[in-house]
PDB file of all heavy atoms in Angstrom:
ATOM      1  N   SER A 120     -32.280 -17.792  15.915  1.00 85.00           N
ATOM      2  CA  SER A 120     -33.278 -18.857  15.902  1.00 85.00           C
ATOM      3  C   SER A 120     -32.694 -20.067  16.726  1.00 85.00           C
ATOM      4  O   SER A 120     -31.545 -20.200  16.879  1.00 85.00           O
ATOM      5  CB  SER A 120     -33.659 -19.277  14.490  1.00 85.00           C
ATOM      6  OG  SER A 120     -32.579 -19.248  13.645  1.00 85.00           O
ATOM      7  N   ALA A 121     -33.621 -20.874  17.163  1.00 79.00           N
ATOM      8  CA  ALA A 121     -33.268 -21.995  17.964  1.00 79.00           C
ATOM      9  C   ALA A 121     -32.454 -23.041  17.103  1.00 79.00           C
ATOM     10  O   ALA A 121     -32.758 -23.228  15.942  1.00 79.00           O
ATOM     11  CB  ALA A 121     -34.581 -22.716  18.514  1.00 79.00           C
ATOM     12  N   PRO A 122     -31.496 -23.702  17.688  1.00 75.00           N
ATOM     13  CA  PRO A 122     -30.786 -24.721  16.968  1.00 75.00           C
ATOM     14  C   PRO A 122     -31.666 -25.932  16.719  1.00 75.00           C
ATOM     15  O   PRO A 122     -32.641 -26.161  17.460  1.00 75.00           O
ATOM     16  CB  PRO A 122     -29.610 -25.022  17.899  1.00 75.00           C
ATOM     17  CG  PRO A 122     -30.108 -24.738  19.276  1.00 75.00           C
ATOM     18  CD  PRO A 122     -31.030 -23.583  19.095  1.00 75.00           C
ATOM     19  N   GLU A 123     -31.368 -26.711  15.755  1.00 71.00           N
ATOM     20  CA  GLU A 123     -32.127 -27.899  15.437  1.00 71.00           C
ATOM     21  C   GLU A 123     -32.066 -28.912  16.576  1.00 71.00           C
ATOM     22  O   GLU A 123     -33.025 -29.671  16.842  1.00 71.00           O
ATOM     23  CB  GLU A 123     -31.624 -28.580  14.139  1.00 71.00           C
ATOM     24  CG  GLU A 123     -31.852 -27.766  12.938  1.00 71.00           C
ATOM     25  CD  GLU A 123     -33.307 -27.649  12.587  1.00 71.00           C
ATOM     26  OE1 GLU A 123     -34.099 -28.602  12.685  1.00 71.00           O
ATOM     27  OE2 GLU A 123     -33.735 -26.518  12.183  1.00 71.00           O
ATOM     28  N   PHE A 124     -30.942 -28.978  17.291  1.00 66.00           N
ATOM     29  CA  PHE A 124     -30.845 -29.915  18.439  1.00 66.00           C
ATOM     30  C   PHE A 124     -29.824 -29.324  19.416  1.00 66.00           C
ATOM     31  O   PHE A 124     -29.149 -28.333  19.062  1.00 66.00           O
ATOM     32  CB  PHE A 124     -30.398 -31.289  17.986  1.00 66.00           C
ATOM     33  CG  PHE A 124     -29.059 -31.310  17.300  1.00 66.00           C
ATOM     34  CD1 PHE A 124     -27.870 -31.494  17.985  1.00 66.00           C
ATOM     35  CD2 PHE A 124     -28.991 -31.103  15.882  1.00 66.00           C
ATOM     36  CE1 PHE A 124     -26.635 -31.478  17.310  1.00 66.00           C
ATOM     37  CE2 PHE A 124     -27.745 -31.067  15.251  1.00 66.00           C
ATOM     38  CZ  PHE A 124     -26.621 -31.286  15.975  1.00 66.00           C
ATOM     39  N   GLY A 125     -29.732 -29.870  20.623  1.00 60.00           N
ATOM     40  CA  GLY A 125     -28.710 -29.476  21.549  1.00 60.00           C
ATOM     41  C   GLY A 125     -29.168 -28.329  22.498  1.00 60.00           C
ATOM     42  O   GLY A 125     -28.354 -27.911  23.297  1.00 60.00           O
ATOM     43  N   ALA A 126     -30.410 -27.863  22.381  1.00 62.00           N
ATOM     44  CA  ALA A 126     -30.830 -26.783  23.272  1.00 62.00           C
ATOM     45  C   ALA A 126     -31.290 -27.272  24.674  1.00 62.00           C
ATOM     46  O   ALA A 126     -31.428 -26.492  25.552  1.00 62.00           O
ATOM     47  CB  ALA A 126     -31.949 -26.007  22.571  1.00 62.00           C
ATOM     48  N   GLY A 127     -31.502 -28.587  24.754  1.00 75.00           N
ATOM     49  CA  GLY A 127     -31.858 -29.099  26.051  1.00 75.00           C
ATOM     50  C   GLY A 127     -33.315 -29.256  26.247  1.00 75.00           C
ATOM     51  O   GLY A 127     -33.768 -29.990  27.154  1.00 75.00           O
ATOM     52  N   ILE A 128     -34.135 -28.525  25.478  1.00 87.00           N
ATOM     53  CA  ILE A 128     -35.602 -28.690  25.604  1.00 87.00           C
ATOM     54  C   ILE A 128     -36.175 -28.800  24.161  1.00 87.00           C
ATOM     55  O   ILE A 128     -35.443 -28.579  23.189  1.00 87.00           O
ATOM     56  CB  ILE A 128     -36.313 -27.531  26.334  1.00 87.00           C
ATOM     57  CG1 ILE A 128     -36.114 -26.204  25.586  1.00 87.00           C
ATOM     58  CG2 ILE A 128     -35.774 -27.435  27.727  1.00 87.00           C
ATOM     59  CD1 ILE A 128     -36.858 -25.026  26.122  1.00 87.00           C
ATOM     60  N   ARG A 129     -37.405 -29.179  24.092  1.00 90.00           N
ATOM     61  CA  ARG A 129     -38.044 -29.361  22.791  1.00 90.00           C
ATOM     62  C   ARG A 129     -37.939 -28.102  21.970  1.00 90.00           C
ATOM     63  O   ARG A 129     -38.148 -26.982  22.456  1.00 90.00           O
ATOM     64  CB  ARG A 129     -39.537 -29.670  22.993  1.00 90.00           C
ATOM     65  CG  ARG A 129     -39.841 -31.118  22.774  1.00 90.00           C
ATOM     66  CD  ARG A 129     -41.242 -31.502  22.965  1.00 90.00           C
ATOM     67  NE  ARG A 129     -42.332 -30.556  22.664  1.00 90.00           N
ATOM     68  CZ  ARG A 129     -43.626 -30.719  23.103  1.00 90.00           C
ATOM     69  NH1 ARG A 129     -43.957 -31.816  23.737  1.00 90.00           N
ATOM     70  NH2 ARG A 129     -44.489 -29.880  22.743  1.00 90.00           N
ATOM     71  N   GLN A 130     -37.627 -28.222  20.684  1.00 89.00           N
ATOM     72  CA  GLN A 130     -37.415 -27.055  19.813  1.00 89.00           C
ATOM     73  C   GLN A 130     -38.684 -26.198  19.792  1.00 89.00           C
ATOM     74  O   GLN A 130     -38.637 -24.965  19.702  1.00 89.00           O
ATOM     75  CB  GLN A 130     -36.947 -27.437  18.520  1.00 89.00           C
ATOM     76  CG  GLN A 130     -36.632 -26.247  17.591  1.00 89.00           C
ATOM     77  CD  GLN A 130     -36.116 -26.662  16.228  1.00 89.00           C
ATOM     78  OE1 GLN A 130     -36.219 -27.787  15.807  1.00 89.00           O
ATOM     79  NE2 GLN A 130     -35.597 -25.666  15.514  1.00 89.00           N
ATOM     80  N   SER A 131     -39.840 -26.822  19.808  1.00 91.00           N
ATOM     81  CA  SER A 131     -41.100 -26.081  19.706  1.00 91.00           C
ATOM     82  C   SER A 131     -41.313 -25.168  20.920  1.00 91.00           C
ATOM     83  O   SER A 131     -42.116 -24.251  20.816  1.00 91.00           O
ATOM     84  CB  SER A 131     -42.318 -27.026  19.499  1.00 91.00           C
ATOM     85  OG  SER A 131     -42.461 -27.827  20.675  1.00 91.00           O
ATOM     86  N   PHE A 132     -40.682 -25.440  22.021  1.00 94.00           N
ATOM     87  CA  PHE A 132     -40.794 -24.569  23.215  1.00 94.00           C
ATOM     88  C   PHE A 132     -39.969 -23.336  23.140  1.00 94.00           C
ATOM     89  O   PHE A 132     -40.111 -22.428  23.917  1.00 94.00           O
ATOM     90  CB  PHE A 132     -40.288 -25.344  24.466  1.00 94.00           C
ATOM     91  CG  PHE A 132     -41.192 -26.464  24.916  1.00 94.00           C
ATOM     92  CD1 PHE A 132     -40.719 -27.382  25.873  1.00 94.00           C
ATOM     93  CD2 PHE A 132     -42.472 -26.659  24.423  1.00 94.00           C
ATOM     94  CE1 PHE A 132     -41.530 -28.445  26.319  1.00 94.00           C
ATOM     95  CE2 PHE A 132     -43.274 -27.682  24.837  1.00 94.00           C
ATOM     96  CZ  PHE A 132     -42.788 -28.584  25.779  1.00 94.00           C
TER      97      PHE A 132
END
Side-chain angles (χ1 to χ4, degrees):
S120 39
E123 292 294 319
F124 60 90
I128 64 172
R129 258 179 30 194
Q130 187 178 12
S131 65
F132 291 168

